[in-house]
Amino acid sequence: MSRKSHIFTSESVSEGHPDKLCDRISDAILDAFLTEDPYARVACETFATTNRVVIGGEVRGPQSVIDRVEDIARECVKDIGYEQDGFHWENMKVQNYLHAQSADIAQGVDAAGDKDEGAGDQGIMFGYATNETPELMPAPIQYSHAMLRRLAEVRKNGTEPKLGPDMKSQLSMRYEGAKPAEITSIVLSTQHLDPDLSSTDVRAIVEPYIRETLPEEWLTSATEWHVNPTGKFVIGGPDGDAGLTGRKIIVDTYGGAAPHGGGAFSGKDPTKVDRSAAYAARYLAKNVVASGLAERCTLQLSYAIGVARPLSIFVDTHRTGEVSEEAIEKAVAEIMDLTPRGIREHLGLNKPIYQRTAAYGHFGRTPDADGGFSWEKTDLIEALKAAV
């Protein structure tokens, strides 16, 4: 039974956060490989610190892309907007340590004879959906992303030139039962390029945009605002704090409102079930909720390296289901091929669609015409209803 009242908090970070900058570079390199070869294998990690970016990992794809890695990294940093003394897209040093994929891993993953393509690693993946927002996402993480996305827009289009690329947000939501009732606190820390700006000055800049993105009925006179609570945030990005690919996995998913399997997404091609099966789990959970079979749904998949079919499928509807969880588990296995190849083909994942996922969440986004965010479609509703 749901608690009558509780407060839940989630956070987000902007594209200029050091970890997200690294996710962006890793996914941009992945997209470059998939543009040249849709079946390239990529596991790319990025590390960033003061005026230095280090890239490493295992790949199987065109040498022409490996030769362009430095240019790709600089393009990402330039687009994000770093032109400061301690981190500048033009002056930073880029080191490229990408090398060939292990033959031992390749033989387990590749299809051969009557053996289907296996999972790129063992692991567990979770998908989640809830009807508390139109995007079927938990409200705290969905609106933490929305605040930063809006501030990035006005920074990059020149409307608010005093804002810097590095930002963090946090939103605390009071729930009545299982439904959002009010925002109890908002935290926003943003880099600012004018060192003379006070916290009050920064709040005056950002508050109108934050209010634009949040449902008016959830903001009250009691909502606490904490804008740049340390008082000053001029040194930002990798000059202020080192960054690393895959260090914001809760920001990438459900803000802590649902379990996470542990594997990061960015820089991994879709043979890696850490990524593709997590997308499939979200896709299935979202369609379960969209079809009215449950108000909330958590779905877990598990895999073994080199084995095609999932070892287990688990569904929890948190006592909101209209049918049994066992019936939903059976139905999702019937309506979608959950082998790595089946997931990739169903969702069209062998495309350069990943750089756009690197900031503001992999879920709760609008599907793109070119196949981006295909896992956010709700096109399984009728199939699910028929299967149960």
Side-chain angles (χ1 to χ4, degrees):
M1 191 173 178
S2 297
R3 292 168 59 185
K4 288 185 178 179
S5 181
H6 67 277
I7 296 173
F8 190 83
T9 303
S10 294
E11 69 160 350
S12 180
V13 297
S14 72
E15 63 197 76
H17 184 279
D19 296 330
K20 282 285 127 197
L21 178 142
C22 291
D23 286 345
R24 168 80 175 269
I25 293 172
S26 293
D27 273 336
I29 292 167
L30 169 61
D31 279 355
F33 273 105
L34 293 177
T35 298
E36 297 293 324
D37 177 4
Y39 300 99
R41 297 286 170 80
V42 181
C44 177
E45 310 287 350
T46 303
F47 167 73
T49 186
T50 302
N51 265 337
R52 185 180 296 264
V53 169
V54 181
I55 298 161
E58 300 76 45
V59 299
R60 189 171 75 189
Q63 180 63 39
S64 59
V65 178
I66 298 176
D67 294 340
R68 291 194 290 116
V69 160
E70 180 174 339
D71 291 338
I72 293 169
R74 293 189 191 281
E75 288 166 11
C76 289
V77 176
K78 181 180 181 181
D79 182 69
I80 289 169
Y82 278 114
E83 295 185 344
Q84 55 199 45
D85 290 341
F87 198 75
H88 195 296
W89 65 271
E90 200 169 27
N91 301 329
M92 67 186 189
K93 183 174 182 180
V94 180
Q95 295 170 269
N96 177 9
Y97 298 106
L98 291 176
H99 61 274
Q101 183 189 45
S102 161
D104 292 344
I105 293 176
Q107 74 173 0
V109 176
D110 290 346
D114 60 355
K115 172 187 173 295
D116 196 6
E117 182 180 287
D121 202 353
Q122 71 175 50
I124 57 174
M125 299 84 209
F126 286 94
Y128 180 71
T130 171
N131 66 0
E132 66 190 64
T133 63
E135 299 82 6
L136 304 186
M137 284 287 287
I141 187 66
Q142 190 68 13
Y143 289 103
S144 291
H145 289 322
M147 288 190 285
L148 295 185
R149 198 160 50 237
R150 179 63 179 134
L151 290 172
E153 287 171 0
V154 296
R155 172 181 65 85
K156 295 176 82 170
N157 68 20
T159 306
E160 299 296 347
K162 294 181 179 180
L163 299 180
D166 197 353
M167 301 182 191
K168 298 182 76 171
S169 65
Q170 186 170 285
L171 189 147
S172 298
M173 175 75 69
R174 183 175 64 81
Y175 286 76
E176 288 294 334
K179 300 299 181 184
E182 67 170 329
I183 296 169
T184 60
S185 67
I186 297 167
V187 182
L188 189 284
S189 295
T190 177
Q191 182 185 12
H192 50 97
L193 305 182
D194 182 347
D196 295 327
L197 291 180
S198 66
S199 296
T200 302
D201 296 330
V202 174
R203 176 170 175 175
I205 293 172
V206 303
E207 184 172 345
Y209 301 109
I210 292 174
R211 288 185 177 276
E212 279 180 22
T213 63
L214 302 178
E216 186 178 355
E217 65 272 19
W218 290 348
L219 288 169
T220 73
S221 58
T223 301
E224 297 180 10
W225 290 70
H226 302 278
V227 177
N228 280 20
T230 62
K232 189 176 182 181
F233 186 4
V234 175
I235 301 172
D239 187 33
D241 191 10
L244 191 66
T245 298
R247 207 157 51 174
K248 287 290 179 284
I249 57 177
I250 301 302
V251 170
D252 285 342
T253 54
Y254 308 103
H260 193 288
F265 300 157
S266 290
K268 296 178 181 177
D269 74 77
T271 66
K272 278 75 169 173
V273 285
D274 276 344
R275 182 168 219 161
S276 56
Y279 290 174
R282 160 63 178 174
Y283 176 59
L284 292 169
K286 184 175 184 180
N287 276 271
V288 167
V289 174
S291 67
L293 295 177
E295 294 180 11
R296 295 168 61 202
C297 179
T298 300
L299 190 147
Q300 185 204 54
L301 301 171
S302 70
Y303 291 84
I305 187 168
V307 179
R309 297 206 168 272
L311 306 182
S312 64
I313 301 172
F314 168 77
V315 168
D316 182 1
T317 57
H318 308 276
R319 301 182 183 180
T320 69
E322 296 295 322
V323 299
S324 72
E325 287 146 339
E326 292 83 0
I328 297 174
E329 290 166 356
K330 183 180 178 182
V332 298
E334 289 176 3
I335 65 173
M336 185 174 177
D337 179 354
L338 291 171
T339 65
R341 184 199 302 273
I343 292 170
R344 290 204 326 275
E345 291 179 353
H346 189 110
L347 296 177
L349 298 182
N350 286 103
K351 298 175 182 177
I353 55 174
Y354 297 104
Q355 186 176 175
R356 71 194 75 171
T357 69
Y360 315 119
H362 291 243
F363 308 129
R365 309 284 287 269
T366 302
D368 294 325
D370 66 353
F373 301 104
S374 59
W375 49 93
E376 290 298 308
K377 293 180 179 179
T378 52
D379 54 1
L380 294 181
I381 291 173
E382 296 308 318
L384 268 170
K385 289 179 177 179
V388 299

